[in-house]
Amino acid sequence: MRKAICLGSVVPQWELERRIALIKEAGFDGFESHHPASEEEAHQIKTLAEKYGLVVHSVMGGTHWRLPLSAPDPETRKKAVEGIEQALNLAAVMGAEGVLVVPAVINETTDYKTAWELSMQSLRQLIPVAKRLGVQIWIENVWNRFLLSPLEFAAYIDELNATSNSDGEGIVGAYFDVGNILAYGFPQQWIRLLGKRIKRVHLKDFRVGEHRFVYLLQGDVNWREVMASLREVGYDGWLTAELPPYPHAPDQMVRDTAQHIERIIAGDV
């Protein structure tokens, strides 16, 4: 498995090249980019990644919370689709394999059934774009009150791939976040049920009793079971830390996290 970190986690106050150089120095193999503001920024990120021998393996779609793909308002939904389409295009510029997407947001104005149907409609518009660009769409489990069981998550991905893909090769997959699940489930169980649908993995830790995120190895994630389940389903891809900087010496968080991931991979936890 390959170690990565979210670029947004890396000393945000530093200039871009210094941040990317630190990712390399800490021992990571690559990183996940934020949604670039422009094609120029996307080229800059790609150029610096190549300079330091790193891979931009994924991109966060940056508009899905502000403009949900499940919004009842057609104009909002249109802008949401355009935002993810832009992320797909920028991912292609950077050579990233896929884009992280929050598929829907449940709230008082959007019920579960509506969110399912409208987000499906939006994503079906995006699948041909993703195919043309050679970039995948990865659905993340987040605290959006949606896809609250692994069976639903699997069914959602399967329905999109079955109805929108004629070649049998699913372009929609799961971006599984280990820490997010602790609020209402157990990551190893979700991993075993999602299986080959998992295309990327986010790492963070979580203290259930305190209901808060913490740094790796400080929470309640059963890392041995998580790694055993990932290996059982044949996952051998990127493990990407998504963590905030330390309040002091934020560069040290990057170095510490690389070592924590090495121990997690080795089972020395």
Side-chain angles (χ1 to χ4, degrees):
M1 299 186 195
R2 307 183 75 183
K3 303 192 304 297
I5 191 168
C6 293
L7 184 56
S9 298
V10 182
V11 201
Q13 61 267 38
W14 285 5
E15 57 93 19
L16 183 61
E17 180 165 4
R18 190 179 178 194
R19 295 165 70 195
I20 291 175
L22 174 60
I23 293 172
K24 178 66 174 181
E25 176 199 325
F28 289 99
D29 303 298
F31 60 90
E32 177 172 286
S33 176
H34 57 269
H35 185 145
S38 64
E39 189 169 324
E40 180 183 0
E41 185 185 8
H43 280 294
Q44 182 186 19
I45 291 170
K46 179 184 180 182
T47 298
L48 288 170
E50 290 175 346
K51 177 179 177 179
Y52 289 95
L54 296 168
V55 176
V56 185
H57 76 81
S58 63
V59 176
M60 287 190 178
T63 59
H64 38 218
W65 285 103
R66 180 172 53 88
L67 299 168
L69 293 167
S70 57
D73 174 54
E75 187 59 31
T76 301
R77 209 161 58 250
K78 179 176 179 290
K79 291 178 181 177
V81 170
E82 290 170 351
I84 301 301
E85 183 173 354
Q86 182 190 54
L88 291 166
N89 277 283
L90 295 173
V93 168
M94 290 187 282
E97 291 182 47
V99 171
L100 181 157
V101 174
V102 173
V105 178
I106 304 291
N107 52 39
E108 287 190 282
T109 61
T110 308
D111 64 71
Y112 212 104
K113 184 173 185 291
T114 299
W116 185 287
E117 292 171 352
L118 292 180
S119 63
M120 282 273 180
Q121 290 178 25
S122 298
L123 287 163
R124 286 185 181 120
Q125 294 177 57
L126 289 161
I127 286 172
V129 178
K131 280 185 174 182
R132 174 173 55 80
L133 295 168
V135 177
Q136 295 187 9
I137 296 169
W138 297 325
I139 307 298
E140 188 181 29
N141 54 292
V142 294
W143 291 358
N144 55 347
R145 301 185 174 95
F146 189 62
L147 304 180
L148 295 176
S149 86
L151 299 177
E152 279 184 23
F153 200 172
Y156 187 84
I157 290 170
D158 291 348
E159 185 173 338
L160 282 167
N161 283 327
T163 59
S164 304
N165 232 0
S166 59
D167 56 11
E169 181 64 30
I171 204 158
V172 180
Y175 201 131
F176 184 72
D177 190 301
V178 172
N180 284 348
I181 287 298
L182 260 290
Y184 49 89
F186 301 93
Q188 59 270 25
Q189 295 176 1
W190 282 62
I191 290 165
R192 291 184 174 109
L193 284 164
L194 289 171
K196 295 291 187 180
R197 299 174 187 85
I198 297 174
K199 304 302 180 184
R200 289 293 187 275
V201 174
H202 262 167
L203 302 183
K204 59 170 77 85
D205 218 329
F206 187 78
R207 288 185 186 164
V208 176
E210 300 170 22
H211 198 76
R212 70 181 181 94
F213 293 110
V214 292
Y215 295 100
L216 301 183
L217 310 184
Q218 295 182 2
D220 295 317
V221 172
N222 185 334
W223 292 109
R224 286 181 183 268
E225 277 298 306
V226 165
M227 294 308 297
S229 62
L230 286 172
R231 291 189 170 101
E232 280 177 31
V233 302
Y235 185 81
D236 193 28
W238 292 89
L239 301 175
T240 303
E242 184 185 22
L243 300 164
Y246 290 160
H248 305 286
D251 56 309
Q252 190 60 42
M253 185 280 290
V254 181
R255 298 184 179 93
D256 290 349
T257 298
Q259 294 182 15
H260 295 162
I261 296 175
E262 286 178 10
R263 292 193 68 156
I264 288 168
I265 292 172
D268 185 21
V269 290

